[in-house]
C-alpha cells in the first residue's frame, strides 16, 4: 500500500493517512474574526485529510494581520470554531488550529479601534496590506514591546491553546514563519532587543520556545506543533544566519516532546530544511511545499514517521485524498477568489466523485 494512506501517530494525534491540509488564510470570517457555517462547510468538505491545519488565527486583537482573519480570543469566535471542528469530526477527521500573531504585520485600518501594532523592535515592515476600509495601506509603525508585555503575549498563546481545545480543536500549531511575531523575534533583522528575548540565537528563539512550552503546559505537548521555514524572507524578514538560528530553534523544540514539526522547504539552495529537521528535531515531521502526486511517495520513503502537507491542491480539490488514491485529475484553483468573501472559489469546487 502507498505510504500516503498509512496511518501515523504524531504525539497525541492519530492520523488516518499522511495527507495533511496545510494552513491557508482565506479571509472568510466576519469583520470581528468569527468563523461561520461557510467555513464549517469548507473544512468539512476536506475532512478526509489525515489532519487539517486550520488557517493562521490571532490569539489576541493586537495579533490580527488581515481583514476577515479569524481569531480565537472571544466567546463568539470559540463558538464559531466549534461548528467548524464538529463538521471535520463528523467526517472522522482531525483538525488543529494555527496560532498566528502578526506582530508588526498589522494595520489600524484592519484591527478593532484603538488596537495597537507591536513588535520586538520599533522597525517598520516594508510593503503594504489590503484593507476593506481604506484599500492598500502601509503597515503601522510598531511599538517595541516591554519585557513584561512579551511575557503577557506568551500567556495569550497559552490561552489561545485552551480556547482552541474549548472550540473542539485536536491541537494547535505555532506559526513561526513568514515574518509574523515569532519569526520577528527569531530573526536578527527584526529583533534588536537587549533583554533576554534578543541577542544570541538562544535568546531570539526564546519567545517561540516559551510559547510552545506554555501551550504544551496548557493542553499537553502532544497536541502542539511548530511550523518553520528556514531561509524565509517573506514580509521583509532577514536573519544574519537563518540556518544557525533554525538549528537552535529545532534543537530546543525537540526537547519539548511536541506532536510534530511542520517544515517547509527552504527557498534558498544552501539550506536543506528537511535534512536539518530530521537531524535536529527527529522524525514526526510534516513536510511541505510543492508536493504532487508524482513526488509524494519518494519523500515518505526518505522520511519515516512523517506526513506531507498540501496547500494549493486542497483549494480546488476538496476530495484530494480520493484523487490521490485513485489517480483522478486535479482541478486548478482560481487566484481571483482566494481572499474574497463568500462561497465562490471557496466551497464551490466540486468533488470528482459525487
Ligand atoms: C492562499 C494561501 C494562504 C496561505 N496561508 C497560510 C497561513 O495562514 N499560514 C501558513 O503557515 N502558511 C500559509 N500558506 C502557505 C501554505 O501553507 C503552504 O506552505 C504553501 O502554499 C506551499 O505548499 P503547497 O505547494 O502545497 O501549496 C498559504 C498559502 C496559500 C496559497
Amino acid at each position: 500500500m502507498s505510504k500516503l494512506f498509512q496511518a501515523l501517530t504524531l504525539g497525541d494525534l492519530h492520523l488516518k493517512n499522511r495527507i495533511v491540509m496545510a494552513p491557508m488564510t482565506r479571509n472568510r470570517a466576519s469583520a470581528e474574526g468569527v468563523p461561520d457555517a461557510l467555513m464549517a462547510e469548507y473544512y468539512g468538505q476536506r475532512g478526509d485529510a489525515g489532519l487539517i491545519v486550520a488557517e493562521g488565527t490571532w490569539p489576541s486583537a493586537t495579533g490580527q494581520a488581515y481583514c476577515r482573519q479569524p481569531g480565537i480570543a472571544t466567546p463568539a469566535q470559540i463558538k464559531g470554531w466549534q461548528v467548524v471542528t464538529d463538521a471535520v469530526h463528523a467526517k472522522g477527521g482531525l483538525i488543529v488550529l494555527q496560532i498566528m500573531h502578526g506582530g508588526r504585520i498589522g494595520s489600524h485600518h484592519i484591527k478593532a479601534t484603538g488596537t495597537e501594532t507591536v513588535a520586538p523592535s520599533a522597525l517598520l515592515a516594508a510593503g503594504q496590506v489590503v484593507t476593506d476600509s481604506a484599500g492598500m495601506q502601509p503597515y503601522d509603525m510598531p511599538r517595541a514591546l516591554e519585557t513584561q508585555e512579551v511575557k503577557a503575549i506568551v500567556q495569550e498563546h497559552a490561552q489561545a491553546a485552551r480556547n482552541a481545545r474549548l472550540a473542539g480543536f485536536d491541537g494547535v500549531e505555532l506559526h513561526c514563519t513568514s515574518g509574523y511575531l515569532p519569526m520577528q523575534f527569531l530573526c536578527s533583522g527584526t529583533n534588536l532587543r537587549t533583554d533576554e528575548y534578543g541577542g544570541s540565537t538562544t535568546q531570539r528563539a526564546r519567545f517561540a520556545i516559551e510559547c510552545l512550552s506554555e501551550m504544551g503546559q496548557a493542553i499537553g505537548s502532544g497536541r502542539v506543533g511548530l511550523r518553520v521555514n528556514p531561509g524565509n524572507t517573506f514580509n521583509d524578514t532577514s536573519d544574519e544566519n537563518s540556518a544557525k538560528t533554525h538549528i537552535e530553534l529545532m534543537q530546543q523544540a525537540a526537547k519539548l516532546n511536541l506532536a510534530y514539526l511542520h517544515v517547509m522547504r527552504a527557498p534558498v539552495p544552501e539550506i536543506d530544511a528537511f535534512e536539518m529537521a530530521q537531524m535536529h528535531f527527529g522524525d514526526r515531521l510534516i513536510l511541505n511545499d510543492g508536493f504532487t502526486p508524482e513526488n509524494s511517495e519518494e519523500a515518505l520513503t526518505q522520511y519515516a514517521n512523517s506526513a506531507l502537507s498540501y496547500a494549493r491542491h486542497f483549494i480546488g480539490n476538496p476530495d484530494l485524498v480520493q484523487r490521490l488514491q485513485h489517480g483522478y485529475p486535479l482541478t486548478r484553483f482560481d487566484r481571483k477568489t482566494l481572499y474574497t468573501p463568500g462561497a465562490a472559489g471557496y466551497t464551490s469546487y466540486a468533488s470528482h466523485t459525487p
Side-chain angles (χ1 to χ4, degrees):
M1 184 170 72
S2 157
K3 289 197 178 54
L4 268 182
F5 305 100
Q6 291 175 7
L8 175 69
T9 293
L10 299 172
D12 292 343
L13 308 173
H14 305 290
L15 284 62
K16 59 192 171 189
N17 59 54
R18 297 175 185 216
I19 299 165
V20 176
M21 178 176 164
M24 276 183 288
T25 294
R26 301 297 308 273
N27 310 74
R28 256 62 174 200
S30 74
E32 293 75 36
V34 177
D36 66 5
L38 184 70
M39 288 176 63
E41 184 186 350
Y42 165 76
Y43 282 110
Q45 286 173 336
R46 288 154 180 80
D48 289 333
L51 175 69
I52 293 174
V53 184
E55 65 208 78
T57 296
W58 38 276
S60 57
T62 51
Q64 181 176 5
Y66 301 114
C67 291
R68 291 166 277 109
Q69 184 187 16
I72 187 72
T74 69
Q77 289 163 354
I78 295 170
K79 211 168 145 210
W81 277 120
Q82 181 75 65
V83 184
V84 174
T85 60
D86 283 349
V88 173
H89 291 149
K91 289 273 278 283
L94 283 179
I95 180 166
V96 300
L97 183 64
Q98 189 182 54
I99 306 299
M100 168 181 156
H101 192 303
R104 69 180 188 153
I105 301 304
S107 161
H108 60 282
H109 293 283
I110 290 174
K111 299 180 199 194
T113 311
T115 308
E116 272 189 300
T117 294
V118 295
S121 302
L123 295 168
L124 184 69
Q128 293 197 317
V129 62
V130 182
T131 74
D132 283 342
S133 61
M136 294 300 287
Q137 289 291 329
Y139 294 112
D140 289 346
M141 179 68 190
R143 182 176 66 76
L145 290 160
E146 302 292 335
T147 306
Q148 285 313 314
E149 292 177 312
V150 178
K151 295 181 192 298
I153 294 184
V154 170
Q155 291 310 318
E156 288 174 2
H157 281 72
Q159 188 58 46
R162 277 184 219 107
N163 291 349
R165 289 290 283 158
L166 275 177
F169 283 100
D170 299 290
V172 293
E173 173 180 292
L174 181 70
H175 194 339
C176 191
T177 79
S178 306
Y180 302 116
L181 187 65
M183 198 174 195
Q184 290 161 28
F185 274 98
L186 193 64
C187 294
S188 59
T190 42
N191 183 345
L192 308 180
R193 300 181 72 88
T194 53
D195 65 0
E196 72 231 55
Y197 293 99
S200 67
T201 49
T202 310
Q203 307 219 136
R204 282 185 274 121
R206 187 187 305 276
F207 177 74
I209 293 297
E210 284 188 0
C211 285
L212 291 166
S213 171
E214 292 296 315
M215 289 157 100
Q217 290 280 327
I219 65 166
S221 57
R223 295 187 179 277
V224 177
L226 167 64
R227 190 166 216 222
V228 295
N229 185 201
N232 181 306
T233 56
F234 189 64
N235 278 327
D236 195 23
T237 310
S238 64
D239 192 16
E240 61 197 10
N241 190 338
S242 185
K244 180 167 177 255
T245 305
H246 278 86
I247 287 171
E248 172 75 22
L249 177 66
M250 288 177 189
Q251 288 177 341
Q252 290 195 41
K255 297 179 196 154
L256 297 177
N257 211 14
L258 300 177
Y260 63 82
L261 180 68
H262 194 168
V263 56
M264 293 172 68
R265 243 182 260 280
V268 288
E270 59 273 19
I271 302 178
D272 186 334
F274 295 173
E275 285 297 313
M276 181 192 284
Q278 193 176 46
M279 187 177 300
H280 299 286
F281 182 84
D283 55 9
R284 304 197 321 282
L285 303 177
I286 299 176
L287 308 174
N288 173 256
D289 200 352
F291 284 107
T292 63
E294 292 74 34
N295 64 12
S296 294
E297 209 58 37
E298 191 187 330
L300 287 182
T301 304
Q302 199 174 345
Y303 297 95
N305 296 324
S306 294
L308 307 183
S309 76
Y310 304 79
R312 288 164 292 182
H313 285 319
F314 261 114
I315 298 173
N317 302 281
D319 56 341
L320 182 64
V321 173
Q322 277 72 31
R323 296 199 197 203
L324 291 172
Q325 197 155 21
H326 301 293
Y328 297 148
L330 299 184
T331 300
R332 293 175 72 88
F333 66 91
D334 180 4
R335 294 203 152 273
K336 292 196 294 294
T337 48
L338 273 181
Y339 305 116
T340 47
Y346 189 55
T347 50
S348 58
Y349 294 103
S351 289
H352 185 80
T353 38

